[in-house]
mmCIF file of all heavy atoms in Angstrom:
data_model
loop_
_atom_site.group_PDB
_atom_site.id
_atom_site.type_symbol
_atom_site.label_atom_id
_atom_site.label_comp_id
_atom_site.label_asym_id
_atom_site.label_seq_id
_atom_site.Cartn_x
_atom_site.Cartn_y
_atom_site.Cartn_z
ATOM 1 N N GLU Q 177 29.711 -24.618 -1.769
ATOM 2 C CA GLU Q 177 28.956 -25.272 -0.843
ATOM 3 C C GLU Q 177 29.142 -26.801 -0.861
ATOM 4 O O GLU Q 177 28.541 -27.548 -0.112
ATOM 5 C CB GLU Q 177 27.379 -25.050 -1.184
ATOM 6 C CG GLU Q 177 26.940 -23.603 -1.075
ATOM 7 C CD GLU Q 177 27.092 -23.089 0.394
ATOM 8 O OE1 GLU Q 177 26.901 -23.937 1.295
ATOM 9 O OE2 GLU Q 177 27.368 -21.930 0.541
ATOM 10 N N GLY Q 178 30.170 -27.255 -1.717
ATOM 11 C CA GLY Q 178 30.463 -28.541 -1.781
ATOM 12 C C GLY Q 178 29.554 -29.514 -2.587
ATOM 13 O O GLY Q 178 29.521 -30.744 -2.507
ATOM 14 N N PHE Q 179 28.661 -28.913 -3.518
ATOM 15 C CA PHE Q 179 27.748 -29.572 -4.302
ATOM 16 C C PHE Q 179 28.441 -29.842 -5.711
ATOM 17 O O PHE Q 179 28.281 -29.071 -6.648
ATOM 18 C CB PHE Q 179 26.452 -28.821 -4.495
ATOM 19 C CG PHE Q 179 25.753 -28.549 -3.200
ATOM 20 C CD1 PHE Q 179 25.130 -27.279 -3.028
ATOM 21 C CD2 PHE Q 179 25.714 -29.458 -2.146
ATOM 22 C CE1 PHE Q 179 24.388 -27.013 -1.877
ATOM 23 C CE2 PHE Q 179 25.109 -29.147 -1.009
ATOM 24 C CZ PHE Q 179 24.418 -27.925 -0.816
ATOM 25 N N ARG Q 180 29.263 -30.836 -5.738
ATOM 26 C CA ARG Q 180 30.004 -31.150 -6.902
ATOM 27 C C ARG Q 180 29.187 -31.430 -8.173
ATOM 28 O O ARG Q 180 29.519 -30.999 -9.282
ATOM 29 C CB ARG Q 180 30.984 -32.373 -6.697
ATOM 30 C CG ARG Q 180 32.035 -31.975 -5.617
ATOM 31 C CD ARG Q 180 33.044 -33.155 -5.506
ATOM 32 N NE ARG Q 180 34.150 -32.861 -4.575
ATOM 33 C CZ ARG Q 180 35.215 -32.060 -4.908
ATOM 34 N NH1 ARG Q 180 35.366 -31.672 -6.177
ATOM 35 N NH2 ARG Q 180 36.146 -31.785 -3.963
ATOM 36 N N ASP Q 181 28.098 -32.209 -8.059
ATOM 37 C CA ASP Q 181 27.188 -32.548 -9.127
ATOM 38 C C ASP Q 181 26.608 -31.220 -9.733
ATOM 39 O O ASP Q 181 26.583 -31.102 -10.959
ATOM 40 C CB ASP Q 181 26.191 -33.597 -8.701
ATOM 41 C CG ASP Q 181 26.674 -34.851 -8.411
ATOM 42 O OD1 ASP Q 181 27.809 -35.151 -8.860
ATOM 43 O OD2 ASP Q 181 26.014 -35.643 -7.691
ATOM 44 N N SER Q 182 26.169 -30.370 -8.852
ATOM 45 C CA SER Q 182 25.596 -29.118 -9.397
ATOM 46 C C SER Q 182 26.666 -28.225 -10.130
ATOM 47 O O SER Q 182 26.438 -27.693 -11.073
ATOM 48 C CB SER Q 182 25.099 -28.296 -8.217
ATOM 49 O OG SER Q 182 24.675 -27.038 -8.560
ATOM 50 N N ALA Q 183 27.888 -28.202 -9.443
ATOM 51 C CA ALA Q 183 28.929 -27.389 -10.157
ATOM 52 C C ALA Q 183 29.314 -28.003 -11.441
ATOM 53 O O ALA Q 183 29.468 -27.278 -12.430
ATOM 54 C CB ALA Q 183 30.220 -27.461 -9.179
ATOM 55 N N ARG Q 184 29.391 -29.320 -11.559
ATOM 56 C CA ARG Q 184 29.734 -29.859 -12.867
ATOM 57 C C ARG Q 184 28.585 -29.633 -13.868
ATOM 58 O O ARG Q 184 28.881 -29.256 -15.060
ATOM 59 C CB ARG Q 184 29.906 -31.449 -12.644
ATOM 60 C CG ARG Q 184 31.211 -31.812 -12.151
ATOM 61 C CD ARG Q 184 31.462 -33.349 -12.300
ATOM 62 N NE ARG Q 184 30.488 -34.130 -11.473
ATOM 63 C CZ ARG Q 184 30.760 -34.568 -10.213
ATOM 64 N NH1 ARG Q 184 32.007 -34.418 -9.747
ATOM 65 N NH2 ARG Q 184 29.915 -35.342 -9.597
ATOM 66 N N PHE Q 185 27.424 -29.763 -13.504
ATOM 67 C CA PHE Q 185 26.311 -29.512 -14.571
ATOM 68 C C PHE Q 185 26.272 -28.140 -15.004
ATOM 69 O O PHE Q 185 26.278 -27.859 -16.213
ATOM 70 C CB PHE Q 185 24.935 -29.898 -13.808
ATOM 71 C CG PHE Q 185 23.704 -29.535 -14.702
ATOM 72 C CD1 PHE Q 185 23.391 -30.433 -15.748
ATOM 73 C CD2 PHE Q 185 23.044 -28.474 -14.471
ATOM 74 C CE1 PHE Q 185 22.336 -30.182 -16.579
ATOM 75 C CE2 PHE Q 185 21.859 -28.106 -15.301
ATOM 76 C CZ PHE Q 185 21.570 -28.961 -16.306
ATOM 77 N N TRP Q 186 26.302 -27.137 -14.047
ATOM 78 C CA TRP Q 186 26.139 -25.776 -14.481
ATOM 79 C C TRP Q 186 27.381 -25.216 -15.160
ATOM 80 O O TRP Q 186 27.319 -24.370 -16.103
ATOM 81 C CB TRP Q 186 25.792 -24.878 -13.292
ATOM 82 C CG TRP Q 186 24.377 -25.134 -12.816
ATOM 83 C CD1 TRP Q 186 23.995 -25.797 -11.649
ATOM 84 C CD2 TRP Q 186 23.128 -24.820 -13.538
ATOM 85 N NE1 TRP Q 186 22.607 -25.881 -11.612
ATOM 86 C CE2 TRP Q 186 22.107 -25.254 -12.691
ATOM 87 C CE3 TRP Q 186 22.865 -24.181 -14.668
ATOM 88 C CZ2 TRP Q 186 20.716 -25.128 -13.128
ATOM 89 C CZ3 TRP Q 186 21.606 -24.031 -15.088
ATOM 90 C CH2 TRP Q 186 20.544 -24.492 -14.275
ATOM 91 N N LEU Q 187 28.588 -25.745 -14.835
ATOM 92 C CA LEU Q 187 29.772 -25.293 -15.629
ATOM 93 C C LEU Q 187 29.739 -25.970 -16.981
ATOM 94 O O LEU Q 187 30.120 -25.262 -17.937
ATOM 95 C CB LEU Q 187 30.987 -25.767 -14.801
ATOM 96 C CG LEU Q 187 32.321 -25.320 -15.379
ATOM 97 C CD1 LEU Q 187 32.372 -23.795 -15.546
ATOM 98 C CD2 LEU Q 187 33.469 -25.796 -14.498
ATOM 99 N N THR Q 188 29.259 -27.135 -17.134
ATOM 100 C CA THR Q 188 29.048 -27.691 -18.482
ATOM 101 C C THR Q 188 28.104 -26.794 -19.301
ATOM 102 O O THR Q 188 28.402 -26.581 -20.539
ATOM 103 C CB THR Q 188 28.516 -29.181 -18.454
ATOM 104 O OG1 THR Q 188 29.445 -29.961 -17.640
ATOM 105 C CG2 THR Q 188 28.306 -29.794 -19.743
ATOM 106 N N VAL Q 189 27.004 -26.361 -18.768
ATOM 107 C CA VAL Q 189 26.127 -25.578 -19.432
ATOM 108 C C VAL Q 189 26.805 -24.200 -19.852
ATOM 109 O O VAL Q 189 26.582 -23.650 -20.987
ATOM 110 C CB VAL Q 189 24.860 -25.183 -18.505
ATOM 111 C CG1 VAL Q 189 24.006 -24.155 -19.251
ATOM 112 C CG2 VAL Q 189 24.055 -26.451 -18.275
ATOM 113 N N THR Q 190 27.618 -23.682 -18.923
ATOM 114 C CA THR Q 190 28.365 -22.441 -19.335
ATOM 115 C C THR Q 190 29.232 -22.558 -20.451
ATOM 116 O O THR Q 190 29.253 -21.764 -21.386
ATOM 117 C CB THR Q 190 29.099 -21.940 -18.084
ATOM 118 O OG1 THR Q 190 28.292 -21.846 -16.968
ATOM 119 C CG2 THR Q 190 29.803 -20.635 -18.278
ATOM 120 N N VAL Q 191 30.010 -23.679 -20.505
ATOM 121 C CA VAL Q 191 30.836 -23.927 -21.605
ATOM 122 C C VAL Q 191 30.108 -24.106 -22.925
ATOM 123 O O VAL Q 191 30.519 -23.530 -23.945
ATOM 124 C CB VAL Q 191 31.743 -25.256 -21.349
ATOM 125 C CG1 VAL Q 191 32.449 -25.584 -22.529
ATOM 126 C CG2 VAL Q 191 32.629 -24.923 -20.168
ATOM 127 N N LEU Q 192 28.975 -24.733 -22.807
ATOM 128 C CA LEU Q 192 28.091 -24.955 -24.027
ATOM 129 C C LEU Q 192 27.641 -23.627 -24.536
ATOM 130 O O LEU Q 192 27.493 -23.317 -25.795
ATOM 131 C CB LEU Q 192 26.987 -25.852 -23.777
ATOM 132 C CG LEU Q 192 27.386 -27.395 -23.582
ATOM 133 C CD1 LEU Q 192 26.191 -28.228 -23.177
ATOM 134 C CD2 LEU Q 192 28.084 -28.000 -24.813
ATOM 135 N N LEU Q 193 27.293 -22.710 -23.594
ATOM 136 C CA LEU Q 193 26.732 -21.366 -23.935
ATOM 137 C C LEU Q 193 27.882 -20.618 -24.626
ATOM 138 O O LEU Q 193 27.639 -19.789 -25.551
ATOM 139 C CB LEU Q 193 26.186 -20.671 -22.768
ATOM 140 C CG LEU Q 193 24.877 -21.189 -22.243
ATOM 141 C CD1 LEU Q 193 24.559 -20.488 -20.883
ATOM 142 C CD2 LEU Q 193 23.783 -20.936 -23.217
ATOM 143 N N GLY Q 194 29.118 -20.711 -24.093
ATOM 144 C CA GLY Q 194 30.228 -20.126 -24.725
ATOM 145 C C GLY Q 194 30.481 -20.498 -26.145
ATOM 146 O O GLY Q 194 30.679 -19.671 -27.134
ATOM 147 N N LEU Q 195 30.360 -21.839 -26.395
ATOM 148 C CA LEU Q 195 30.499 -22.389 -27.694
ATOM 149 C C LEU Q 195 29.379 -21.887 -28.667
ATOM 150 O O LEU Q 195 29.603 -21.574 -29.852
ATOM 151 C CB LEU Q 195 30.537 -23.924 -27.747
ATOM 152 C CG LEU Q 195 31.694 -24.535 -26.950
ATOM 153 C CD1 LEU Q 195 31.536 -26.120 -26.893
ATOM 154 C CD2 LEU Q 195 33.043 -24.272 -27.796
ATOM 155 N N THR Q 196 28.206 -21.729 -28.071
ATOM 156 C CA THR Q 196 27.062 -21.206 -28.875
ATOM 157 C C THR Q 196 27.249 -19.852 -29.271
ATOM 158 O O THR Q 196 27.013 -19.478 -30.402
ATOM 159 C CB THR Q 196 25.752 -21.371 -28.015
ATOM 160 O OG1 THR Q 196 25.568 -22.748 -27.693
ATOM 161 C CG2 THR Q 196 24.601 -20.910 -28.956
ATOM 162 N N PHE Q 197 27.828 -18.996 -28.356
ATOM 163 C CA PHE Q 197 28.069 -17.623 -28.700
ATOM 164 C C PHE Q 197 29.047 -17.563 -29.781
ATOM 165 O O PHE Q 197 28.890 -16.767 -30.804
ATOM 166 C CB PHE Q 197 28.677 -16.859 -27.405
ATOM 167 C CG PHE Q 197 28.983 -15.457 -27.646
ATOM 168 C CD1 PHE Q 197 28.116 -14.411 -27.418
ATOM 169 C CD2 PHE Q 197 30.228 -15.145 -28.255
ATOM 170 C CE1 PHE Q 197 28.374 -13.089 -27.671
ATOM 171 C CE2 PHE Q 197 30.641 -13.808 -28.464
ATOM 172 C CZ PHE Q 197 29.684 -12.807 -28.179
ATOM 173 N N ILE Q 198 30.095 -18.350 -29.798
ATOM 174 C CA ILE Q 198 31.131 -18.298 -30.830
ATOM 175 C C ILE Q 198 30.565 -18.677 -32.183
ATOM 176 O O ILE Q 198 30.783 -18.049 -33.204
ATOM 177 C CB ILE Q 198 32.254 -19.194 -30.455
ATOM 178 C CG1 ILE Q 198 33.019 -18.704 -29.185
ATOM 179 C CG2 ILE Q 198 33.339 -19.298 -31.673
ATOM 180 C CD1 ILE Q 198 33.945 -19.715 -28.549
ATOM 181 N N THR Q 199 29.651 -19.646 -32.154
ATOM 182 C CA THR Q 199 28.952 -20.133 -33.363
ATOM 183 C C THR Q 199 28.027 -19.040 -33.959
ATOM 184 O O THR Q 199 28.174 -18.737 -35.183
ATOM 185 C CB THR Q 199 28.158 -21.360 -33.126
ATOM 186 O OG1 THR Q 199 29.051 -22.395 -32.606
ATOM 187 C CG2 THR Q 199 27.535 -21.900 -34.401
ATOM 188 N N VAL Q 200 27.276 -18.418 -33.133
ATOM 189 C CA VAL Q 200 26.478 -17.370 -33.599
ATOM 190 C C VAL Q 200 27.166 -16.094 -34.163
ATOM 191 O O VAL Q 200 26.794 -15.571 -35.133
ATOM 192 C CB VAL Q 200 25.446 -16.884 -32.471
ATOM 193 C CG1 VAL Q 200 24.643 -15.657 -32.874
ATOM 194 C CG2 VAL Q 200 24.541 -18.081 -32.085
ATOM 195 N N GLN Q 201 28.289 -15.774 -33.468
ATOM 196 C CA GLN Q 201 29.134 -14.736 -34.012
ATOM 197 C C GLN Q 201 29.741 -15.128 -35.351
ATOM 198 O O GLN Q 201 29.933 -14.264 -36.284
ATOM 199 C CB GLN Q 201 30.207 -14.376 -33.014
ATOM 200 C CG GLN Q 201 30.980 -13.082 -33.464
ATOM 201 C CD GLN Q 201 31.834 -12.496 -32.336
ATOM 202 O OE1 GLN Q 201 32.686 -13.228 -31.810
ATOM 203 N NE2 GLN Q 201 31.640 -11.263 -32.001
ATOM 204 N N GLY Q 202 30.150 -16.311 -35.603
ATOM 205 C CA GLY Q 202 30.677 -16.851 -36.784
ATOM 206 C C GLY Q 202 29.610 -16.671 -37.927
ATOM 207 O O GLY Q 202 29.913 -16.178 -39.052
ATOM 208 N N VAL Q 203 28.365 -16.915 -37.623
ATOM 209 C CA VAL Q 203 27.251 -16.797 -38.568
ATOM 210 C C VAL Q 203 27.058 -15.226 -38.794
ATOM 211 O O VAL Q 203 26.845 -14.888 -40.005
ATOM 212 C CB VAL Q 203 25.891 -17.407 -38.016
ATOM 213 C CG1 VAL Q 203 24.694 -16.938 -38.822
ATOM 214 C CG2 VAL Q 203 26.023 -18.862 -37.874
#
Side-chain angles (χ1 to χ4, degrees):
E177 298 297 329
F179 302 142
R180 293 186 177 275
D181 291 340
S182 174
R184 284 194 291 263
F185 175 79
W186 289 109
L187 186 53
T188 300
V189 173
T190 305
V191 172
L192 292 176
L193 287 172
L195 293 174
T196 304
F197 178 94
I198 295 166
T199 302
V200 173
Q201 189 167 52
V203 172

